[in-house]
Coordinates of all heavy atoms in Angstrom, one line a residue:
M919 N -49.4 -100.9 -51.7 CA -50.9 -101.1 -51.6 C -51.4 -100.0 -50.8 O -50.9 -99.6 -49.8 CB -51.3 -102.3 -51.2 CG -51.2 -103.4 -52.2 SD -51.5 -105.2 -51.6 CE -50.1 -106.0 -52.5
G920 N -52.6 -99.6 -51.1 CA -53.4 -98.7 -50.5 C -52.9 -97.2 -50.7 O -53.4 -96.4 -49.9
K921 N -52.0 -97.1 -51.5 CA -51.7 -95.7 -51.8 C -52.6 -95.1 -52.7 O -52.8 -95.6 -54.0 CB -50.2 -95.7 -52.4 CG -49.3 -94.7 -51.7 CD -47.9 -94.8 -52.3 CE -46.9 -94.0 -51.4 NZ -45.6 -94.1 -51.8
K922 N -53.0 -93.9 -52.5 CA -54.0 -93.3 -53.3 C -53.2 -92.1 -54.2 O -52.7 -91.4 -53.6 CB -55.1 -92.7 -52.6 CG -56.2 -93.7 -52.3 CD -57.3 -93.1 -51.6 CE -58.4 -94.1 -51.2 NZ -59.4 -93.6 -50.3
W923 N -53.4 -92.3 -55.3 CA -52.8 -91.1 -56.2 C -53.9 -90.2 -56.7 O -55.0 -90.6 -57.0 CB -52.1 -91.8 -57.5 CG -50.9 -92.7 -57.1 CD1 -50.9 -94.1 -56.9 CD2 -49.7 -92.2 -56.7 NE1 -49.7 -94.4 -56.6 CE2 -49.0 -93.4 -56.3 CE3 -49.1 -90.8 -56.6 CZ2 -47.5 -93.1 -55.9 CZ3 -47.8 -90.8 -56.2 CH2 -47.0 -91.9 -55.8
G924 N -53.4 -89.1 -56.8 CA -54.3 -88.0 -57.4 C -55.4 -87.8 -56.4 O -55.3 -88.0 -55.2
H925 N -56.5 -87.4 -56.8 CA -57.7 -87.0 -56.0 C -57.3 -86.1 -54.7 O -57.8 -86.3 -53.7 CB -58.3 -88.3 -55.5 CG -59.8 -88.3 -55.8 ND1 -60.3 -88.6 -57.1 CD2 -60.8 -88.0 -55.1 CE1 -61.6 -88.5 -57.0 NE2 -62.0 -88.3 -55.8
Y926 N -56.4 -85.3 -55.0 CA -56.0 -84.4 -53.9 C -56.7 -83.0 -54.0 O -56.6 -82.3 -55.0 CB -54.6 -84.1 -53.9 CG -54.0 -83.8 -52.5 CD1 -53.6 -84.9 -51.8 CD2 -53.9 -82.6 -52.1 CE1 -53.1 -84.8 -50.4 CE2 -53.4 -82.4 -50.7 CZ -53.1 -83.5 -49.9 OH -52.5 -83.3 -48.8
K927 N -57.6 -82.8 -53.1 CA -58.5 -81.6 -53.3 C -57.5 -80.3 -53.0 O -57.0 -80.1 -52.0 CB -59.5 -81.6 -52.2 CG -60.7 -82.4 -52.7 CD -61.9 -82.3 -51.7 CE -62.9 -83.4 -52.0 NZ -63.7 -83.5 -50.8
A928 N -57.5 -79.6 -54.0 CA -56.8 -78.2 -53.9 C -57.4 -77.3 -53.0 O -58.6 -77.0 -53.2 CB -56.4 -77.8 -55.4
G929 N -56.7 -76.8 -52.0 CA -57.4 -75.8 -51.2 C -58.1 -76.6 -50.0 O -58.2 -76.0 -49.0
G930 N -58.6 -77.7 -50.2 CA -59.3 -78.5 -49.2 C -60.4 -77.6 -48.7 O -61.2 -77.1 -49.4
R931 N -60.6 -77.6 -47.3 CA -61.7 -76.8 -46.9 C -61.3 -75.6 -46.3 O -60.8 -75.5 -45.2 CB -62.5 -77.6 -45.7 CG -61.4 -78.8 -45.2 CD -61.8 -78.8 -43.7 NE -62.5 -80.2 -43.5 CZ -62.8 -80.6 -42.3 NH1 -62.6 -79.9 -41.2 NH2 -63.3 -81.9 -42.1
S932 N -61.2 -74.5 -47.2 CA -60.9 -73.2 -46.6 C -62.2 -72.3 -46.5 O -62.6 -71.7 -47.5 CB -59.9 -72.7 -47.5 OG -60.3 -72.4 -48.8
Q933 N -62.6 -72.4 -45.4 CA -63.8 -71.5 -45.2 C -63.4 -70.0 -45.0 O -62.3 -69.8 -44.5 CB -64.6 -71.8 -44.0 CG -64.7 -73.3 -43.7 CD -64.7 -73.7 -42.3 OE1 -63.7 -73.3 -41.6 NE2 -65.6 -74.4 -41.9
P934 N -64.2 -69.1 -45.6 CA -63.8 -67.7 -45.4 C -64.0 -67.4 -43.9 O -64.9 -67.8 -43.2 CB -64.8 -66.9 -46.3 CG -65.9 -67.9 -46.4 CD -65.4 -69.3 -46.4
V935 N -63.1 -66.5 -43.4 CA -63.1 -65.9 -42.1 C -63.4 -64.5 -42.2 O -63.1 -63.8 -43.3 CB -61.9 -66.3 -41.3 CG1 -61.8 -67.8 -41.1 CG2 -60.6 -65.7 -42.0
T936 N -63.8 -63.9 -41.2 CA -64.2 -62.5 -41.1 C -63.0 -61.8 -40.4 O -62.6 -62.1 -39.3 CB -65.5 -62.1 -40.4 OG1 -66.5 -63.0 -41.0 CG2 -65.9 -60.8 -40.6
C937 N -62.6 -60.7 -41.0 CA -61.5 -59.9 -40.4 C -62.2 -59.1 -39.3 O -63.2 -58.5 -39.3 CB -61.0 -58.9 -41.4 SG -59.9 -57.8 -40.8
V938 N -61.5 -59.2 -38.1 CA -61.9 -58.5 -36.9 C -61.8 -57.0 -37.1 O -62.5 -56.3 -36.3 CB -61.3 -59.0 -35.7 CG1 -61.8 -60.4 -35.2 CG2 -59.7 -59.0 -35.9
Y939 N -61.0 -56.6 -38.0 CA -60.8 -55.1 -38.1 C -61.7 -54.4 -39.0 O -62.4 -53.4 -38.8 CB -59.4 -54.8 -38.3 CG -58.5 -55.3 -37.3 CD1 -57.5 -56.5 -37.5 CD2 -58.5 -54.9 -35.9 CE1 -56.8 -56.9 -36.5 CE2 -57.7 -55.4 -34.9 CZ -56.8 -56.4 -35.2 OH -56.0 -56.9 -34.4
C940 N -61.8 -55.0 -40.2 CA -62.6 -54.4 -41.3 C -63.9 -55.1 -41.6 O -64.6 -54.6 -42.3 CB -61.7 -54.2 -42.5 SG -61.2 -55.6 -43.4
G941 N -63.9 -56.4 -41.2 CA -65.1 -57.1 -41.3 C -65.2 -57.8 -42.7 O -66.2 -58.4 -43.1
R942 N -64.2 -57.7 -43.5 CA -64.1 -58.2 -44.8 C -64.0 -59.8 -44.6 O -63.2 -60.2 -43.7 CB -62.9 -57.6 -45.5 CG -63.0 -57.8 -47.0 CD -61.8 -57.4 -47.7 NE -61.6 -55.9 -47.4 CZ -60.6 -55.2 -47.8 NH1 -59.6 -55.9 -48.5 NH2 -60.4 -53.9 -47.4
R943 N -64.5 -60.4 -45.6 CA -64.4 -61.8 -45.6 C -63.3 -62.2 -46.4 O -63.0 -61.7 -47.6 CB -65.7 -62.4 -46.2 CG -66.8 -62.2 -45.5 CD -67.3 -63.3 -44.6 NE -68.3 -64.2 -45.2 CZ -68.7 -65.3 -44.8 NH1 -68.1 -65.9 -43.9 NH2 -69.7 -65.9 -45.5
T944 N -62.4 -63.1 -45.9 CA -61.2 -63.4 -46.5 C -60.9 -64.9 -46.3 O -61.3 -65.5 -45.4 CB -60.0 -62.6 -45.9 OG1 -58.8 -62.8 -46.7 CG2 -59.7 -62.8 -44.4
P945 N -60.4 -65.5 -47.4 CA -60.1 -66.9 -47.2 C -59.2 -67.2 -46.0 O -58.3 -66.6 -45.7 CB -59.4 -67.4 -48.5 CG -59.7 -66.3 -49.5 CD -59.9 -65.0 -48.6
R946 N -59.5 -68.3 -45.4 CA -58.8 -68.7 -44.2 C -57.3 -68.7 -44.4 O -56.5 -68.4 -43.6 CB -59.3 -70.1 -43.8 CG -59.0 -70.9 -42.5 CD -59.0 -70.3 -41.3 NE -57.7 -70.2 -40.8 CZ -57.1 -71.2 -40.1 NH1 -57.7 -72.2 -39.8 NH2 -55.9 -71.1 -39.7
I947 N -56.9 -69.3 -45.5 CA -55.5 -69.4 -45.9 C -54.7 -68.1 -46.0 O -53.5 -67.9 -45.8 CB -55.1 -70.2 -47.1 CG1 -56.1 -69.9 -48.1 CG2 -55.1 -71.8 -46.7 CD1 -55.7 -70.4 -49.5
K948 N -55.5 -67.0 -46.3 CA -54.9 -65.7 -46.6 C -55.1 -64.9 -45.3 O -54.5 -63.8 -45.1 CB -55.7 -65.0 -47.7 CG -55.2 -65.5 -49.0 CD -55.7 -64.6 -50.1 CE -55.2 -65.2 -51.4 NZ -55.7 -64.3 -52.6
A949 N -55.9 -65.4 -44.3 CA -56.1 -64.6 -43.0 C -54.9 -64.8 -42.1 O -54.2 -65.9 -42.1 CB -57.4 -65.1 -42.5
V950 N -54.7 -63.9 -41.2 CA -53.8 -64.0 -40.2 C -54.5 -64.2 -38.9 O -55.3 -63.4 -38.6 CB -52.9 -62.7 -40.1 CG1 -51.9 -62.9 -39.1 CG2 -52.2 -62.5 -41.5
S951 N -54.0 -65.1 -38.2 CA -54.8 -65.3 -36.8 C -54.3 -64.4 -35.7 O -53.1 -64.3 -35.7 CB -54.7 -66.8 -36.3 OG -53.4 -67.1 -36.0
V952 N -55.1 -63.8 -35.0 CA -54.7 -63.0 -34.1 C -55.5 -63.3 -32.8 O -56.4 -63.8 -32.7 CB -55.1 -61.4 -34.3 CG1 -54.3 -60.8 -35.4 CG2 -56.6 -61.3 -34.7
K953 N -54.7 -63.0 -31.7 CA -55.4 -63.2 -30.4 C -56.0 -62.0 -29.8 O -55.4 -60.9 -29.8 CB -54.2 -63.6 -29.4 CG -54.0 -65.2 -29.5 CD -52.9 -65.5 -28.5 CE -52.4 -66.9 -28.9 NZ -51.1 -67.1 -28.3
K954 N -57.3 -62.2 -29.5 CA -58.0 -61.1 -29.0 C -58.6 -61.5 -27.7 O -59.3 -62.5 -27.6 CB -59.1 -60.8 -30.0 CG -59.3 -59.4 -30.2 CD -60.5 -59.2 -31.1 CE -61.0 -57.8 -31.0 NZ -62.3 -57.5 -31.3
H955 N -58.4 -60.7 -26.7 CA -59.0 -61.0 -25.4 C -60.3 -60.4 -25.2 O -60.6 -59.4 -25.9 CB -58.0 -61.1 -24.2 CG -57.1 -59.9 -24.1 ND1 -57.7 -58.7 -23.6 CD2 -55.9 -59.7 -24.6 CE1 -56.7 -57.7 -23.6 NE2 -55.6 -58.2 -24.2
S956 N -60.9 -61.1 -24.3 CA -62.4 -60.7 -24.3 C -62.7 -59.3 -23.9 O -63.8 -59.0 -23.7 CB -63.0 -61.7 -23.3 OG -62.4 -61.7 -22.1
G957 N -61.9 -58.3 -23.8 CA -62.2 -57.1 -23.6 C -62.0 -56.7 -22.2 O -62.4 -55.6 -21.7
I958 N -61.6 -57.7 -21.3 CA -61.5 -57.3 -19.8 C -60.1 -56.8 -19.6 O -59.2 -57.4 -20.1 CB -61.7 -58.6 -19.1 CG1 -62.9 -59.4 -19.4 CG2 -61.6 -58.3 -17.5 CD1 -63.1 -60.9 -18.8
D959 N -60.2 -55.6 -19.1 CA -58.8 -55.0 -18.9 C -58.7 -55.1 -17.4 O -59.4 -54.4 -16.7 CB -58.8 -53.6 -19.4 CG -57.4 -53.0 -19.3 OD1 -56.5 -53.7 -18.8 OD2 -57.1 -52.0 -20.0
T960 N -57.7 -55.9 -17.0 CA -57.6 -56.0 -15.5 C -57.1 -54.7 -14.8 O -57.1 -54.7 -13.6 CB -56.6 -57.1 -15.2 OG1 -55.4 -57.0 -16.1 CG2 -57.3 -58.4 -15.4
R961 N -56.5 -53.8 -15.6 CA -56.1 -52.6 -14.9 C -57.4 -51.7 -14.5 O -57.1 -50.8 -13.6 CB -55.3 -51.7 -16.0 CG -54.0 -52.4 -16.2 CD -53.2 -51.7 -17.4 NE -53.9 -52.0 -18.6 CZ -53.4 -51.6 -19.8 NH1 -52.4 -51.0 -19.9 NH2 -54.1 -52.0 -20.9
T962 N -58.5 -52.1 -15.0 CA -59.6 -51.4 -14.5 C -60.1 -51.8 -13.3 O -61.1 -51.3 -12.7 CB -60.6 -51.3 -15.7 OG1 -61.1 -52.7 -16.0 CG2 -60.2 -50.7 -17.0
I963 N -59.7 -53.0 -13.0 CA -60.4 -53.7 -11.7 C -59.3 -53.5 -10.6 O -58.1 -53.9 -10.7 CB -60.6 -55.1 -11.9 CG1 -61.2 -55.4 -13.2 CG2 -61.2 -55.8 -10.8 CD1 -61.3 -56.9 -13.7
P964 N -59.7 -52.7 -9.6 CA -58.6 -52.3 -8.5 C -58.4 -53.6 -7.7 O -59.2 -54.4 -7.4 CB -59.4 -51.3 -7.8 CG -60.8 -51.4 -8.1 CD -60.9 -52.0 -9.5
G965 N -57.3 -53.7 -7.2 CA -56.8 -54.7 -6.3 C -56.7 -56.2 -6.9 O -56.8 -57.2 -6.2
V966 N -56.6 -56.1 -8.2 CA -56.3 -57.5 -8.9 C -55.0 -57.6 -9.3 O -54.3 -56.8 -10.1 CB -57.4 -57.7 -10.0 CG1 -57.0 -58.9 -10.9 CG2 -58.8 -57.7 -9.5
D967 N -54.3 -58.7 -9.1 CA -53.0 -59.0 -9.4 C -53.1 -59.5 -10.8 O -53.7 -60.6 -11.0 CB -52.3 -60.0 -8.5 CG -50.9 -60.0 -8.8 OD1 -50.5 -59.7 -10.0 OD2 -50.1 -60.4 -7.9
R968 N -52.6 -58.7 -11.8 CA -52.8 -59.2 -13.2 C -52.1 -60.6 -13.5 O -52.6 -61.2 -14.4 CB -52.1 -58.1 -14.1 CG -52.8 -56.8 -14.1 CD -52.3 -55.8 -15.0 NE -52.6 -56.3 -16.4 CZ -51.9 -55.8 -17.5 NH1 -50.8 -55.1 -17.3 NH2 -52.3 -56.3 -18.7
R969 N -51.1 -60.9 -12.8 CA -50.5 -62.1 -13.0 C -51.3 -63.3 -12.6 O -51.0 -64.5 -12.9 CB -49.1 -62.2 -12.3 CG -48.1 -61.3 -12.8 CD -46.9 -61.0 -12.0 NE -47.3 -60.4 -10.7 CZ -46.6 -60.2 -9.7 NH1 -45.3 -60.4 -9.7 NH2 -47.1 -59.6 -8.6
L970 N -52.2 -63.1 -11.8 CA -53.0 -64.1 -11.2 C -54.3 -64.3 -12.0 O -55.2 -65.2 -11.8 CB -53.4 -63.9 -9.8 CG -52.2 -63.8 -8.8 CD1 -52.6 -63.5 -7.4 CD2 -51.4 -65.2 -8.8
V971 N -54.6 -63.3 -12.9 CA -55.9 -63.4 -13.6 C -55.7 -64.0 -15.0 O -54.8 -63.8 -15.7 CB -56.4 -62.0 -13.8 CG1 -57.7 -61.9 -14.6 CG2 -56.6 -61.4 -12.5
F972 N -56.4 -65.0 -15.2 CA -56.4 -65.6 -16.5 C -57.4 -64.9 -17.4 O -58.6 -64.8 -17.2 CB -56.8 -67.1 -16.3 CG -57.0 -67.9 -17.7 CD1 -55.8 -68.1 -18.5 CD2 -58.3 -68.1 -18.2 CE1 -56.0 -68.7 -19.6 CE2 -58.4 -68.7 -19.5 CZ -57.3 -69.0 -20.2
L973 N -56.9 -64.5 -18.4 CA -57.7 -63.8 -19.5 C -57.9 -64.7 -20.6 O -57.1 -65.2 -21.3 CB -56.9 -62.6 -20.1 CG -56.8 -61.4 -19.1 CD1 -56.0 -60.3 -19.9 CD2 -58.2 -60.8 -18.8
P974 N -59.2 -65.1 -20.8 CA -59.5 -65.8 -21.9 C -59.3 -65.1 -23.3 O -59.6 -63.9 -23.4 CB -61.0 -66.1 -21.7 CG -61.6 -65.1 -20.7 CD -60.4 -64.6 -20.0
Q975 N -58.7 -65.9 -24.1 CA -58.4 -65.2 -25.3 C -59.3 -65.8 -26.5 O -59.4 -67.1 -26.6 CB -56.9 -65.4 -25.8 CG -56.1 -64.6 -24.8 CD -54.6 -64.5 -25.2 OE1 -54.0 -65.5 -25.7 NE2 -54.1 -63.4 -25.2
M976 N -59.7 -65.1 -27.3 CA -60.5 -65.4 -28.5 C -59.7 -65.5 -29.7 O -58.8 -64.6 -29.9 CB -61.6 -64.5 -28.6 CG -62.8 -64.8 -27.7 SD -63.8 -63.4 -27.5 CE -64.2 -63.0 -29.1
K977 N -60.0 -66.5 -30.4 CA -59.2 -66.6 -31.7 C -59.8 -65.7 -32.7 O -61.2 -66.0 -32.9 CB -59.0 -68.0 -32.1 CG -57.8 -68.2 -33.0 CD -57.5 -69.7 -33.2 CE -56.1 -69.8 -33.9 NZ -55.9 -71.2 -34.4
A978 N -59.1 -65.0 -33.3 CA -59.8 -64.0 -34.3 C -58.9 -64.0 -35.6 O -57.7 -64.5 -35.5 CB -60.1 -62.7 -33.8
Y979 N -59.4 -63.5 -36.5 CA -58.7 -63.4 -37.8 C -58.6 -62.0 -38.4 O -59.6 -61.3 -38.2 CB -59.2 -64.4 -38.9 CG -59.1 -65.9 -38.5 CD1 -60.1 -66.5 -37.8 CD2 -57.9 -66.5 -38.7 CE1 -60.0 -67.9 -37.5 CE2 -57.8 -67.8 -38.4 CZ -58.7 -68.5 -37.8 OH -58.6 -69.8 -37.3
A980 N -57.5 -61.8 -39.1 CA -57.5 -60.5 -39.6 C -57.0 -60.7 -41.0 O -56.3 -61.6 -41.5 CB -56.4 -59.6 -38.9
C981 N -57.7 -59.8 -41.9 CA -57.1 -60.0 -43.3 C -55.6 -59.5 -43.6 O -55.2 -58.8 -42.7 CB -58.1 -59.2 -44.2 SG -58.1 -57.5 -44.2
I982 N -55.1 -59.8 -44.6 CA -53.7 -59.4 -44.8 C -53.4 -58.0 -44.7 O -52.5 -57.5 -44.0 CB -53.3 -59.9 -46.3 CG1 -53.2 -61.5 -46.3 CG2 -52.0 -59.4 -46.7 CD1 -52.1 -62.1 -45.6
S983 N -54.3 -57.2 -45.3 CA -54.1 -55.8 -45.3 C -54.2 -55.2 -43.9 O -53.4 -54.2 -43.6 CB -55.0 -55.1 -46.3 OG -56.4 -55.4 -46.0
C984 N -55.0 -55.6 -43.1 CA -55.3 -55.1 -41.8 C -54.0 -55.6 -41.0 O -53.5 -54.9 -40.1 CB -56.5 -55.6 -41.1 SG -57.9 -54.7 -41.7
A985 N -53.6 -56.8 -41.3 CA -52.5 -57.3 -40.4 C -51.2 -56.7 -40.7 O -50.4 -56.3 -39.9 CB -52.3 -58.8 -40.8
K986 N -51.1 -56.2 -41.9 CA -49.8 -55.5 -42.4 C -50.0 -54.1 -41.8 O -49.0 -53.6 -41.2 CB -49.8 -55.4 -43.9 CG -49.1 -56.5 -44.6 CD -49.0 -56.2 -46.0 CE -48.3 -57.4 -46.6 NZ -48.4 -57.4 -48.2
H987 N -51.1 -53.6 -41.8 CA -51.3 -52.2 -41.3 C -51.1 -52.1 -39.8 O -50.6 -51.1 -39.2 CB -52.9 -51.9 -41.6 CG -53.1 -50.4 -42.0 ND1 -52.6 -49.9 -43.0 CD2 -53.5 -49.4 -41.1 CE1 -53.0 -48.6 -43.1 NE2 -53.4 -48.3 -42.0
R988 N -51.5 -53.1 -39.1 CA -51.3 -53.1 -37.6 C -50.0 -53.8 -37.3 O -49.8 -54.1 -36.1 CB -52.5 -53.8 -37.0 CG -53.7 -53.0 -37.1 CD -55.1 -53.7 -37.0 NE -56.1 -52.7 -37.5 CZ -56.8 -52.0 -36.6 NH1 -56.4 -52.1 -35.4 NH2 -57.7 -51.2 -37.1
K989 N -49.2 -54.0 -38.2 CA -48.0 -54.8 -38.0 C -48.1 -56.0 -37.1 O -47.3 -56.4 -36.3 CB -46.9 -53.8 -37.3 CG -46.7 -52.6 -38.2 CD -45.7 -51.7 -37.5 CE -45.4 -50.5 -38.4 NZ -45.1 -49.2 -38.0
L990 N -49.1 -56.8 -37.6 CA -49.2 -58.1 -37.0 C -48.4 -59.1 -37.5 O -48.0 -60.1 -37.0 CB -50.7 -58.5 -37.0 CG -51.7 -57.7 -36.3 CD1 -53.1 -58.1 -36.6 CD2 -51.5 -57.8 -34.8
I991 N -48.0 -58.8 -38.9 CA -47.2 -59.7 -39.7 C -45.9 -58.9 -40.2 O -46.1 -57.7 -40.4 CB -47.8 -60.4 -40.7 CG1 -48.6 -59.5 -41.5 CG2 -48.7 -61.6 -40.3 CD1 -49.0 -60.1 -43.0
G992 N -44.9 -59.5 -40.2 CA -43.6 -58.8 -40.9 C -43.8 -58.9 -42.3 O -44.9 -59.4 -42.9
K993 N -42.9 -58.3 -42.9 CA -42.9 -58.4 -44.4 C -42.6 -59.7 -44.8 O -41.5 -60.2 -44.5 CB -42.1 -57.3 -45.1 CG -40.7 -57.1 -44.6 CD -40.0 -56.0 -45.2 CE -38.7 -55.7 -44.5 NZ -37.9 -54.6 -45.2
K994 N -43.4 -60.3 -45.7 CA -43.3 -61.7 -46.1 C -43.9 -61.7 -47.5 O -45.2 -61.6 -47.7 CB -44.1 -62.6 -45.1 CG -43.7 -64.0 -45.2 CD -44.5 -64.7 -44.1 CE -44.9 -66.1 -44.5 NZ -45.9 -66.6 -43.5
D995 N -43.1 -61.9 -48.4 CA -43.6 -62.0 -49.8 C -43.0 -62.9 -50.6 O -41.9 -63.0 -50.9 CB -43.4 -60.5 -50.4 CG -44.8 -60.1 -51.1 OD1 -45.4 -61.0 -51.7 OD2 -45.1 -59.0 -51.1
Ligands
ZN301 ZN1 -59.3 -56.5 -42.5

């Protein structure tokens, strides 16, 4: 009882994401998530121990072609 058959939404909610490299909109399922930190390079700050600094990382997405191009993903086909 209570088992629901069918009515399975294919794809579900896949919102398009924007590639951080080329700006192209690509479906979420086809995008590759990349970690991008906020642009703070601790090496530019003198006297800061990098191990003690927490760098906030932003979640970003890259399209397949950019990900391949930048070797963010291995060959997977
Ligand atoms: Zn791209």
Side-chain angles (χ1 to χ4, degrees):
M919 273 171 227
K921 231 180 190 180
K922 275 183 186 171
W923 292 101
H925 233 80
Y926 212 86
K927 275 181 195 167
R931 26 150 110 175
S932 65
Q933 319 148 305
V935 293
T936 308
C937 171
V938 283
Y939 299 114
C940 68
R942 197 182 303 171
R943 297 257 263 167
T944 183
R946 187 46 252 271
I947 39 159
K948 284 187 179 177
V950 179
S951 68
V952 289
K953 276 178 191 162
K954 222 189 164 200
H955 43 85
S956 52
I958 309 166
D959 192 345
T960 46
R961 283 170 296 187
T962 62
I963 311 168
V966 169
D967 191 336
R968 293 185 67 204
R969 289 165 299 179
L970 299 177
V971 176
F972 171 75
L973 285 178
Q975 290 190 320
M976 280 157 54
K977 206 171 189 188
Y979 293 96
C981 70
I982 292 286
S983 51
C984 284
K986 272 185 185 168
H987 215 74
R988 283 152 198 273
K989 293 181 179 155
L990 297 171
I991 47 167
K993 41 182 173 178
K994 196 175 150 193
D995 224 323

